[in-house]
Amino acid sequence: MTPPALPHPLPRRSPRFGRGLAAAVLALVVLGAALVLGRHSGSIPARPNAALPIKPTPGIRLLDPKHSRIDAAHIDARARALVGRPDMAGLAVAVVENGQLAFAKGYGETQAGKGEPVTAQTLFRWASVSKGVAATMTALLASQGKLSLDDPVARWSSIRLPAGGERVATLTDALSHRLGIVRNAYDDRLEGNEDPRQIRSELGKLEALCRLGTCFAYENVAFDLVHEAVEKATGQSYDAAAHRLLFGPLGMTSAGTTREELVAASSWARPHKGRTTLPVEEAYYRIPAAAGMNSSIVDLAIWMRAQMGGAPAVLSPALLLTLHRPRVSTPPHGRADRLAPHDVSYGLGFRQIDYAGHHLIGHRGAVRGYRSVLLFDPAEQVGVVMLWNSEASRPVGLSLEILDGYYRHPFHDWLQLDKP
């Protein structure tokens, strides 16, 4: 992992990341214009993409470039160079400024060597950035009286914890990774295609890592207990509930939580390791609350805007405060945490971090063949989302370069493209 990587607790295949809340909320606006995409690069020939506009959506509108503080030319040049590396295939980047879409573009290929360009409408997997959707849906159901964040997890899930902890641990504890068991518990069994509900029922055999609710240990299989809670509280499948409660109201037309929704898309990014195409594995789709989301970069930008306070009719300021309020400090994990050694924490499905005097919220994600980043400053109303179909960690640095440019910081080479 390279120095620009933002803090995350995961050693391998699962997603990660994330303070503050905007002082004001923005009204929902209707997109009335189309963004003309530029040209793609990488191993395919550069070509114009004027025929690929962003689809009209009630979720977001376009920012007049004259009012933008980001350096679009810098983003474009760095992204083009990035997808030319041998460990990359495709990449999509979007920036939201002042509640509007300031940049959205695809680079490289959906499948290495096949020549189909990534566009702003290409679908990727979110990996653990999906956790924010699960937390938001659970908090929304709590606001509707369908469940309580203080409910013991045993009320809603088959999970068992050491010493009967399932009767004490709450949904809040689950959403903030405070279940008192070793991090990434039994991810290997999930990847071995065991039933996640059966795995959760056996977590009680583990030794307790700490007293419930007192320490942070990142989870996937255990976190997904909220998938069970959502289905019981709504009487719908997790995917159907997500469409009804979130994706539909927000105008996220490409979003979904199943493998079928990904591979049925007219443009979808195949997973890669280097330039080798990998199969789309089912394992993490079986824990949709932890890592099941797919969408285009535009829909991920719409999602980020809503988390920044831009869709108050769907996600109220009070609900966002519930999600983003720090609940537990997270331990340092490698060189990345040196970015914010004094204040790194986790709320409900989102990480909080201090970066160069700014309070940021976000998450990172990783499943086999895909990576993702969501990172925003709610006070400044600016944020970056990125999706790519390879296992390279270097692209994370571009999110910091974009924010540095917005903050008018001196240039720092977070990407280090000249390094092997």
Side-chain angles (χ1 to χ4, degrees), residues 48-134:
N49 263 331
L52 295 170
I54 291 177
K55 298 175 182 178
T57 167
I60 202 165
R61 69 176 181 179
L62 303 179
L63 179 67
D64 185 335
K66 294 183 295 185
H67 300 145
S68 176
R69 289 177 55 180
I70 66 161
D71 186 343
H74 173 84
I75 300 171
D76 193 63
R78 298 292 269 178
R80 288 171 180 274
L82 187 56
V83 296
R85 295 179 61 87
D87 58 350
M88 291 289 294
L91 168 73
V93 183
V95 181
V96 172
E97 251 185 287
N98 194 29
Q100 299 173 60
L101 189 63
F103 186 96
K105 195 169 179 180
Y107 301 87
E109 298 173 287
T110 61
Q111 185 172 3
K114 298 298 184 181
E116 182 185 344
V118 171
T119 76
Q121 305 299 340
T122 299
L123 268 63
F124 291 78
R125 296 186 69 174
W126 291 17
S128 272
V129 173
S130 307
K131 289 181 171 67
V133 173

Coordinates of all heavy atoms in Angstrom, one line a residue, residues 48-134:
P48 N -13.2 10.3 -28.7 CA -14.2 11.2 -28.1 C -15.4 10.4 -27.6 O -15.7 9.3 -28.2 CB -14.5 12.1 -29.3 CG -14.2 11.3 -30.5 CD -13.1 10.4 -30.2
N49 N -16.0 10.9 -26.6 CA -17.2 10.3 -26.1 C -18.4 11.2 -26.0 O -19.1 11.2 -25.0 CB -16.9 9.7 -24.7 CG -16.5 8.2 -24.8 OD1 -17.0 7.5 -25.7 ND2 -15.7 7.7 -23.9
A50 N -18.5 12.1 -26.9 CA -19.6 13.1 -26.9 C -21.0 12.5 -26.9 O -21.9 13.1 -26.5 CB -19.5 14.1 -28.0
A51 N -21.1 11.2 -27.3 CA -22.4 10.6 -27.4 C -22.8 9.9 -26.1 O -23.8 9.2 -26.0 CB -22.4 9.5 -28.5
L52 N -22.1 10.1 -25.0 CA -22.3 9.5 -23.7 C -22.6 10.5 -22.6 O -21.8 10.7 -21.7 CB -21.1 8.6 -23.3 CG -20.8 7.4 -24.3 CD1 -19.5 6.8 -23.9 CD2 -21.9 6.4 -24.2
P53 N -23.8 11.1 -22.7 CA -24.1 12.1 -21.7 C -24.5 11.4 -20.4 O -25.0 10.3 -20.4 CB -25.3 12.9 -22.3 CG -25.9 11.9 -23.1 CD -24.8 11.0 -23.7
I54 N -24.4 12.2 -19.3 CA -25.0 11.7 -18.0 C -26.5 11.8 -18.1 O -27.1 12.8 -18.6 CB -24.5 12.5 -16.8 CG1 -23.0 12.2 -16.6 CG2 -25.3 12.3 -15.6 CD1 -22.4 13.1 -15.5
K55 N -27.2 10.7 -17.7 CA -28.7 10.7 -17.8 C -29.3 11.7 -16.9 O -28.9 11.8 -15.8 CB -29.1 9.3 -17.5 CG -28.6 8.2 -18.5 CD -29.1 6.9 -18.1 CE -28.5 5.8 -19.0 NZ -28.9 4.4 -18.6
P56 N -30.4 12.3 -17.3 CA -31.1 13.2 -16.4 C -31.6 12.4 -15.2 O -32.0 11.3 -15.3 CB -32.3 13.7 -17.2 CG -31.8 13.6 -18.7 CD -30.9 12.4 -18.7
T57 N -31.4 13.0 -14.0 CA -31.8 12.4 -12.7 C -32.2 13.5 -11.7 O -31.6 14.6 -11.8 CB -30.6 11.6 -12.2 OG1 -30.9 11.2 -10.8 CG2 -29.3 12.3 -12.2
P58 N -33.1 13.2 -10.9 CA -33.5 14.2 -9.8 C -32.5 14.2 -8.7 O -32.6 15.0 -7.8 CB -34.8 13.6 -9.3 CG -34.7 12.1 -9.5 CD -34.0 12.0 -10.8
G59 N -31.4 13.4 -8.8 CA -30.5 13.3 -7.7 C -29.4 14.4 -7.6 O -28.9 14.7 -6.5
I60 N -29.1 15.1 -8.8 CA -27.9 16.0 -8.8 C -28.0 16.8 -10.0 O -28.6 16.5 -11.0 CB -26.6 15.1 -8.7 CG1 -25.5 15.9 -8.2 CG2 -26.3 14.5 -10.0 CD1 -24.3 15.1 -7.8
R61 N -27.4 18.0 -10.0 CA -27.3 18.8 -11.2 C -25.8 19.1 -11.4 O -24.9 18.9 -10.6 CB -28.1 20.1 -11.0 CG -27.5 21.1 -10.0 CD -28.4 22.4 -10.1 NE -27.8 23.3 -9.1 CZ -28.3 24.6 -8.9 NH1 -29.4 24.9 -9.6 NH2 -27.8 25.4 -8.1
L62 N -25.5 19.7 -12.6 CA -24.2 20.0 -13.0 C -23.7 21.4 -12.5 O -24.5 22.3 -12.6 CB -24.0 19.9 -14.5 CG -24.4 18.6 -15.1 CD1 -24.2 18.6 -16.6 CD2 -23.6 17.4 -14.5
L63 N -22.5 21.4 -12.1 CA -21.9 22.7 -11.7 C -21.3 23.4 -12.9 O -20.6 22.8 -13.7 CB -20.8 22.5 -10.6 CG -20.1 23.7 -10.1 CD1 -21.0 24.6 -9.3 CD2 -18.9 23.3 -9.2
D64 N -21.6 24.7 -13.0 CA -20.9 25.5 -14.1 C -19.4 25.5 -13.8 O -19.0 25.9 -12.8 CB -21.5 26.9 -14.0 CG -21.0 27.8 -15.1 OD1 -19.9 27.5 -15.7 OD2 -21.6 28.8 -15.5
P65 N -18.6 25.0 -14.8 CA -17.2 25.0 -14.6 C -16.6 26.3 -14.2 O -15.5 26.3 -13.5 CB -16.6 24.5 -16.0 CG -17.8 23.8 -16.6 CD -19.0 24.5 -16.1
K66 N -17.2 27.4 -14.5 CA -16.7 28.7 -14.1 C -16.7 28.9 -12.6 O -16.0 29.7 -12.0 CB -17.4 29.8 -14.8 CG -17.3 29.9 -16.3 CD -18.0 31.1 -16.9 CE -19.5 30.9 -16.7 NZ -20.3 32.0 -17.4
H67 N -17.6 28.1 -11.9 CA -17.7 28.2 -10.5 C -17.0 27.1 -9.7 O -17.2 27.0 -8.5 CB -19.2 28.3 -10.1 CG -20.0 29.4 -10.7 ND1 -21.3 29.3 -11.2 CD2 -19.6 30.6 -11.1 CE1 -21.7 30.4 -11.7 NE2 -20.7 31.3 -11.6
S68 N -16.3 26.3 -10.4 CA -15.6 25.2 -9.8 C -14.2 25.6 -9.3 O -13.5 26.3 -10.0 CB -15.5 24.0 -10.7 OG -14.8 22.9 -10.2
R69 N -13.8 25.0 -8.1 CA -12.5 25.2 -7.6 C -11.5 24.1 -7.9 O -10.3 24.1 -7.7 CB -12.5 25.5 -6.1 CG -13.1 26.8 -5.7 CD -13.2 27.0 -4.2 NE -11.9 26.7 -3.5 CZ -11.7 26.8 -2.2 NH1 -12.8 27.1 -1.4 NH2 -10.5 26.6 -1.7
I70 N -12.1 22.9 -8.4 CA -11.2 21.8 -8.7 C -10.5 22.0 -10.0 O -10.9 22.8 -10.8 CB -12.0 20.5 -8.7 CG1 -13.0 20.5 -9.9 CG2 -12.7 20.2 -7.4 CD1 -13.4 19.1 -10.3
D71 N -9.4 21.4 -10.1 CA -8.6 21.4 -11.3 C -8.9 20.2 -12.2 O -8.3 19.2 -12.1 CB -7.1 21.5 -11.0 CG -6.2 21.7 -12.2 OD1 -6.7 21.6 -13.3 OD2 -5.0 22.1 -11.9
A72 N -9.9 20.4 -13.1 CA -10.3 19.3 -13.9 C -9.2 18.8 -14.8 O -9.1 17.6 -15.1 CB -11.5 19.7 -14.7
A73 N -8.4 19.7 -15.3 CA -7.3 19.3 -16.2 C -6.3 18.4 -15.5 O -5.8 17.4 -16.0 CB -6.6 20.5 -16.8
H74 N -6.1 18.7 -14.2 CA -5.1 17.9 -13.4 C -5.7 16.5 -13.2 O -5.0 15.5 -13.3 CB -4.9 18.6 -12.1 CG -4.1 17.8 -11.1 ND1 -2.7 17.7 -11.1 CD2 -4.5 16.9 -10.1 CE1 -2.3 16.9 -10.2 NE2 -3.3 16.4 -9.6
I75 N -7.0 16.5 -12.8 CA -7.6 15.2 -12.6 C -7.5 14.3 -13.9 O -7.2 13.1 -13.8 CB -9.1 15.3 -12.2 CG1 -9.2 16.1 -10.9 CG2 -9.8 14.0 -12.0 CD1 -10.7 16.5 -10.6
D76 N -7.9 14.9 -15.0 CA -7.9 14.2 -16.2 C -6.5 13.7 -16.6 O -6.4 12.5 -17.0 CB -8.4 15.2 -17.3 CG -8.7 14.4 -18.6 OD1 -9.7 13.6 -18.6 OD2 -8.1 14.7 -19.7
A77 N -5.5 14.5 -16.5 CA -4.1 14.1 -16.8 C -3.6 13.0 -15.9 O -3.0 12.0 -16.3 CB -3.2 15.3 -16.7
R78 N -3.9 13.1 -14.6 CA -3.5 12.1 -13.6 C -4.2 10.8 -13.8 O -3.6 9.7 -13.7 CB -3.6 12.6 -12.2 CG -2.9 13.8 -11.9 CD -1.4 13.6 -11.9 NE -0.9 13.2 -10.5 CZ 0.3 12.9 -10.2 NH1 1.3 12.8 -11.2 NH2 0.7 12.6 -9.0
A79 N -5.5 10.8 -14.1 CA -6.3 9.6 -14.3 C -5.8 8.9 -15.6 O -5.7 7.7 -15.6 CB -7.8 10.0 -14.4
R80 N -5.6 9.7 -16.6 CA -5.1 9.0 -17.9 C -3.8 8.3 -17.6 O -3.6 7.2 -18.1 CB -4.9 10.1 -19.0 CG -6.2 10.7 -19.5 CD -5.9 11.9 -20.4 NE -7.1 12.4 -21.0 CZ -7.7 12.0 -22.1 NH1 -7.2 11.0 -22.7 NH2 -8.8 12.6 -22.5
A81 N -2.9 9.0 -16.9 CA -1.6 8.3 -16.7 C -1.8 7.1 -15.8 O -1.1 6.1 -15.9 CB -0.6 9.4 -16.0
L82 N -2.7 7.2 -14.8 CA -2.9 6.1 -13.9 C -3.4 4.8 -14.6 O -2.9 3.7 -14.4 CB -3.9 6.6 -12.9 CG -4.2 5.6 -11.7 CD1 -3.0 5.3 -10.9 CD2 -5.2 6.3 -10.8
V83 N -4.4 5.0 -15.5 CA -4.9 3.8 -16.2 C -3.9 3.2 -17.2 O -4.1 2.1 -17.7 CB -6.3 4.0 -16.8 CG1 -7.3 4.3 -15.8 CG2 -6.2 5.1 -17.9
G84 N -2.8 3.9 -17.5 CA -1.8 3.4 -18.4 C -0.9 2.4 -17.7 O 0.0 1.8 -18.3
R85 N -1.0 2.3 -16.4 CA -0.1 1.4 -15.6 C -0.5 0.0 -15.8 O -1.7 -0.3 -16.0 CB -0.1 1.8 -14.1 CG 0.5 3.2 -13.8 CD 0.4 3.5 -12.3 NE 1.2 2.5 -11.6 CZ 2.5 2.7 -11.3 NH1 3.2 3.7 -11.8 NH2 3.1 1.7 -10.6
P86 N 0.5 -1.0 -15.7 CA 0.1 -2.4 -16.0 C -0.8 -3.0 -14.9 O -1.3 -4.1 -15.2 CB 1.5 -3.1 -16.0 CG 2.4 -2.1 -15.2 CD 1.9 -0.8 -15.5
D87 N -0.9 -2.4 -13.7 CA -1.8 -3.0 -12.7 C -3.2 -2.4 -12.7 O -4.0 -2.6 -11.8 CB -1.2 -2.8 -11.3 CG -0.9 -1.3 -11.0 OD1 -1.0 -0.4 -11.8 OD2 -0.5 -1.1 -9.8
M88 N -3.5 -1.6 -13.8 CA -4.8 -1.0 -13.9 C -5.6 -1.5 -15.1 O -4.9 -1.9 -16.1 CB -4.7 0.5 -14.0 CG -4.2 1.2 -12.7 SD -5.4 1.2 -11.4 CE -6.7 2.3 -12.1
A89 N -6.9 -1.4 -15.1 CA -7.7 -1.7 -16.2 C -8.6 -0.4 -16.5 O -8.4 0.3 -17.5 CB -8.6 -2.9 -16.0
G90 N -9.6 -0.2 -15.6 CA -10.5 1.0 -15.8 C -10.6 1.7 -14.5 O -10.3 1.2 -13.4
L91 N -11.1 2.9 -14.6 CA -11.3 3.9 -13.5 C -12.4 4.8 -13.8 O -12.6 5.3 -14.9 CB -10.0 4.6 -13.3 CG -10.0 5.8 -12.3 CD1 -10.1 5.3 -10.9 CD2 -8.7 6.6 -12.5
A92 N -13.2 5.2 -12.8 CA -14.2 6.2 -12.9 C -14.1 7.2 -11.7 O -13.8 6.7 -10.6 CB -15.6 5.6 -13.0
V93 N -14.1 8.5 -12.0 CA -13.9 9.5 -11.0 C -15.1 10.5 -11.0 O -15.5 10.9 -12.1 CB -12.6 10.2 -11.2 CG1 -12.4 11.3 -10.1 CG2 -11.4 9.3 -11.3
A94 N -15.6 10.9 -9.9 CA -16.5 12.0 -9.8 C -16.3 12.9 -8.6 O -15.8 12.5 -7.6 CB -18.0 11.5 -9.8
V95 N -16.6 14.2 -8.8 CA -16.4 15.2 -7.8 C -17.7 16.0 -7.6 O -18.3 16.4 -8.6 CB -15.2 16.2 -8.1 CG1 -15.1 17.2 -7.0 CG2 -13.9 15.4 -8.3
V96 N -18.1 16.1 -6.4 CA -19.3 17.0 -6.0 C -18.8 18.2 -5.3 O -18.0 18.1 -4.4 CB -20.3 16.2 -5.2 CG1 -21.4 17.2 -4.7 CG2 -20.9 15.1 -5.9
E97 N -19.2 19.4 -5.8 CA -18.8 20.7 -5.2 C -20.1 21.4 -5.0 O -20.9 21.6 -5.9 CB -18.0 21.5 -6.2 CG -16.5 21.6 -5.9 CD -15.8 22.5 -6.9 OE1 -15.6 22.1 -8.0 OE2 -15.5 23.7 -6.5
N98 N -20.2 22.0 -3.8 CA -21.4 22.8 -3.4 C -22.7 22.1 -3.8 O -23.6 22.7 -4.3 CB -21.3 24.2 -4.1 CG -22.2 25.2 -3.6 OD1 -22.6 25.1 -2.4 ND2 -22.7 26.1 -4.4
G99 N -22.8 20.8 -3.6 CA -24.0 20.1 -3.9 C -24.3 19.8 -5.3 O -25.3 19.3 -5.7
Q100 N -23.3 20.0 -6.2 CA -23.5 19.8 -7.6 C -22.3 19.0 -8.2 O -21.3 18.9 -7.6 CB -23.5 21.2 -8.4 CG -24.7 22.1 -7.9 CD -24.6 23.4 -8.5 OE1 -24.7 23.6 -9.7 NE2 -24.5 24.5 -7.7
L101 N -22.6 18.3 -9.3 CA -21.6 17.5 -9.9 C -20.7 18.3 -10.7 O -21.0 18.9 -11.7 CB -22.3 16.5 -10.9 CG -21.5 15.4 -11.4 CD1 -20.9 14.5 -10.3 CD2 -22.3 14.5 -12.4
A102 N -19.4 18.4 -10.3 CA -18.4 19.2 -10.9 C -17.6 18.4 -11.9 O -17.0 19.0 -12.8 CB -17.5 19.8 -9.8
F103 N -17.5 17.1 -11.8 CA -16.7 16.3 -12.6 C -17.2 14.9 -12.6 O -17.5 14.3 -11.5 CB -15.2 16.3 -12.1 CG -14.2 15.7 -13.0 CD1 -13.5 16.4 -14.0 CD2 -14.0 14.3 -13.0 CE1 -12.6 15.8 -14.8 CE2 -13.1 13.7 -13.8 CZ -12.3 14.4 -14.7
A104 N -17.3 14.2 -13.7 CA -17.6 12.8 -13.8 C -17.1 12.2 -15.1 O -17.5 12.7 -16.1 CB -19.1 12.5 -13.6
K105 N -16.2 11.2 -15.0 CA -15.6 10.7 -16.2 C -15.0 9.3 -16.0 O -14.6 9.0 -14.9 CB -14.5 11.7 -16.6 CG -13.9 11.5 -18.0 CD -13.0 12.6 -18.4 CE -12.5 12.4 -19.8 NZ -11.6 13.6 -20.2
G106 N -15.0 8.6 -17.1 CA -14.4 7.2 -17.0 C -13.1 7.2 -17.8 O -12.9 7.9 -18.8
Y107 N -12.2 6.2 -17.5 CA -10.9 6.1 -18.1 C -10.6 4.6 -18.3 O -11.1 3.8 -17.5 CB -9.8 6.7 -17.3 CG -10.0 8.2 -17.0 CD1 -10.8 8.6 -16.0 CD2 -9.5 9.1 -17.9 CE1 -11.0 10.0 -15.7 CE2 -9.7 10.5 -17.7 CZ -10.4 10.9 -16.6 OH -10.6 12.3 -16.4
G108 N -9.9 4.2 -19.3 CA -9.4 2.9 -19.4 C -10.6 2.0 -20.0 O -11.5 2.4 -20.6
E109 N -10.5 0.7 -19.6 CA -11.3 -0.3 -20.2 C -12.2 -1.0 -19.2 O -11.8 -1.3 -18.1 CB -10.5 -1.3 -21.0 CG -9.7 -0.8 -22.1 CD -8.8 -1.8 -22.7 OE1 -7.7 -2.2 -22.0 OE2 -9.0 -2.4 -23.8
T110 N -13.3 -1.5 -19.6 CA -14.2 -2.3 -18.8 C -13.6 -3.7 -18.6 O -13.7 -4.4 -17.6 CB -15.6 -2.5 -19.3 OG1 -15.6 -3.0 -20.6 CG2 -16.3 -1.1 -19.4
Q111 N -12.8 -4.1 -19.7 CA -12.1 -5.4 -19.7 C -10.8 -5.3 -20.4 O -10.8 -4.8 -21.6 CB -13.0 -6.5 -20.3 CG -12.4 -7.9 -20.2 CD -13.3 -9.0 -20.6 OE1 -14.4 -8.8 -21.0 NE2 -12.9 -10.3 -20.5
A112 N -9.7 -5.6 -19.8 CA -8.4 -5.4 -20.4 C -8.3 -6.1 -21.7 O -8.6 -7.3 -21.9 CB -7.4 -5.9 -19.4
G113 N -7.9 -5.3 -22.7 CA -7.6 -5.8 -24.1 C -8.9 -5.9 -24.9 O -8.7 -6.3 -26.1
K114 N -10.0 -5.6 -24.4 CA -11.3 -5.8 -25.2 C -11.7 -4.5 -25.8 O -12.5 -4.5 -26.8 CB -12.4 -6.3 -24.3 CG -12.2 -7.7 -23.7 CD -12.0 -8.7 -24.8 CE -11.9 -10.1 -24.1 NZ -11.7 -11.2 -25.1
G115 N -11.2 -3.3 -25.3 CA -11.4 -2.0 -26.0 C -12.7 -1.3 -25.6 O -12.9 -0.2 -26.1
E116 N -13.5 -1.8 -24.8 CA -14.7 -1.1 -24.4 C -14.4 -0.1 -23.4 O -13.9 -0.4 -22.3 CB -15.8 -2.0 -23.9 CG -17.1 -1.3 -23.5 CD -18.2 -2.2 -22.9 OE1 -18.0 -3.4 -23.0 OE2 -19.1 -1.6 -22.3
P117 N -14.6 1.2 -23.6 CA -14.2 2.3 -22.7 C -15.1 2.3 -21.4 O -16.3 2.1 -21.5 CB -14.3 3.5 -23.5 CG -15.4 3.3 -24.5 CD -15.2 1.8 -24.8
V118 N -14.5 2.6 -20.3 CA -15.2 3.0 -19.1 C -15.8 4.4 -19.3 O -15.2 5.3 -19.8 CB -14.3 3.0 -17.9 CG1 -15.0 3.5 -16.7 CG2 -13.8 1.5 -17.6
T119 N -17.1 4.5 -19.0 CA -17.8 5.8 -19.0 C -18.3 6.2 -17.6 O -18.2 5.4 -16.7 CB -18.9 5.8 -20.0 OG1 -20.0 5.1 -19.5 CG2 -18.5 5.1 -21.3
A120 N -18.9 7.3 -17.6 CA -19.6 7.7 -16.3 C -20.8 6.9 -16.0 O -21.3 6.9 -14.9 CB -19.9 9.2 -16.3
Q121 N -21.2 6.0 -17.0 CA -22.4 5.2 -16.7 C -22.0 3.7 -16.5 O -22.9 2.9 -16.3 CB -23.3 5.3 -17.9 CG -23.8 6.7 -18.3 CD -24.6 7.3 -17.2 OE1 -25.1 6.7 -16.3 NE2 -24.6 8.7 -17.2
T122 N -20.7 3.4 -16.6 CA -20.3 2.0 -16.3 C -20.5 1.6 -14.9 O -20.2 2.4 -14.0 CB -18.8 1.9 -16.7 OG1 -18.6 2.2 -18.1 CG2 -18.3 0.5 -16.4
L123 N -21.0 0.4 -14.7 CA -21.2 -0.1 -13.3 C -19.9 -0.8 -12.8 O -19.3 -1.5 -13.5 CB -22.3 -1.1 -13.3 CG -23.7 -0.5 -13.0 CD1 -24.2 0.4 -14.1 CD2 -24.8 -1.7 -12.8
F124 N -19.7 -0.5 -11.5 CA -18.6 -1.1 -10.7 C -19.2 -1.6 -9.4 O -20.3 -1.2 -9.0 CB -17.5 -0.1 -10.4 CG -16.7 0.4 -11.5 CD1 -17.1 1.4 -12.4 CD2 -15.4 -0.1 -11.7 CE1 -16.3 1.8 -13.4 CE2 -14.6 0.4 -12.7 CZ -15.1 1.4 -13.6
R125 N -18.4 -2.5 -8.7 CA -18.8 -2.8 -7.3 C -18.3 -1.8 -6.4 O -17.2 -1.3 -6.5 CB -18.2 -4.2 -7.0 CG -18.8 -5.3 -7.9 CD -18.3 -6.7 -7.4 NE -18.9 -7.0 -6.1 CZ -18.7 -8.2 -5.5 NH1 -17.9 -9.2 -6.1 NH2 -19.3 -8.5 -4.3
W126 N -19.1 -1.5 -5.3 CA -18.6 -0.6 -4.3 C -17.8 -1.3 -3.2 O -17.1 -0.6 -2.4 CB -19.8 0.0 -3.6 CG -20.7 1.0 -4.4 CD1 -20.7 1.2 -5.7 CD2 -21.6 1.9 -3.8 NE1 -21.6 2.1 -6.0 CE2 -22.2 2.6 -4.9 CE3 -22.1 2.1 -2.5 CZ2 -23.2 3.6 -4.6 CZ3 -23.0 3.1 -2.3 CH2 -23.6 3.8 -3.3
A127 N -17.9 -2.6 -3.1 CA -17.3 -3.3 -2.0 C -17.8 -2.7 -0.7 O -18.9 -2.5 -0.5 CB -15.8 -3.3 -2.1
S128 N -16.9 -2.5 0.3 CA -17.3 -2.1 1.6 C -17.8 -0.6 1.8 O -18.3 -0.2 2.8 CB -16.2 -2.3 2.7 OG -16.3 -3.6 3.2
V129 N -17.7 0.1 0.7 CA -18.5 1.4 0.7 C -20.0 1.1 0.9 O -20.7 2.0 1.3 CB -18.2 2.2 -0.6 CG1 -19.0 3.5 -0.7 CG2 -16.7 2.6 -0.6
S130 N -20.4 -0.1 0.6 CA -21.7 -0.6 0.8 C -22.2 -0.4 2.2 O -23.4 -0.4 2.5 CB -21.9 -2.0 0.4 OG -21.4 -2.3 -0.9
K131 N -21.3 -0.5 3.2 CA -21.7 -0.4 4.6 C -22.5 0.8 4.9 O -23.3 0.8 5.8 CB -20.5 -0.6 5.5 CG -19.9 -2.0 5.4 CD -18.7 -2.1 6.4 CE -18.2 -3.6 6.5 NZ -17.7 -4.2 5.3
G132 N -22.2 1.9 4.3 CA -22.9 3.2 4.5 C -24.4 3.1 4.1 O -25.2 3.7 4.7
V133 N -24.6 2.3 3.1 CA -26.0 2.1 2.6 C -26.8 1.3 3.7 O -27.9 1.6 4.1 CB -26.1 1.3 1.3 CG1 -27.5 0.9 0.9 CG2 -25.5 2.2 0.2
A134 N -26.2 0.2 4.2 CA -26.8 -0.6 5.3 C -27.1 0.3 6.5 O -28.1 0.2 7.1 CB -25.9 -1.8 5.6

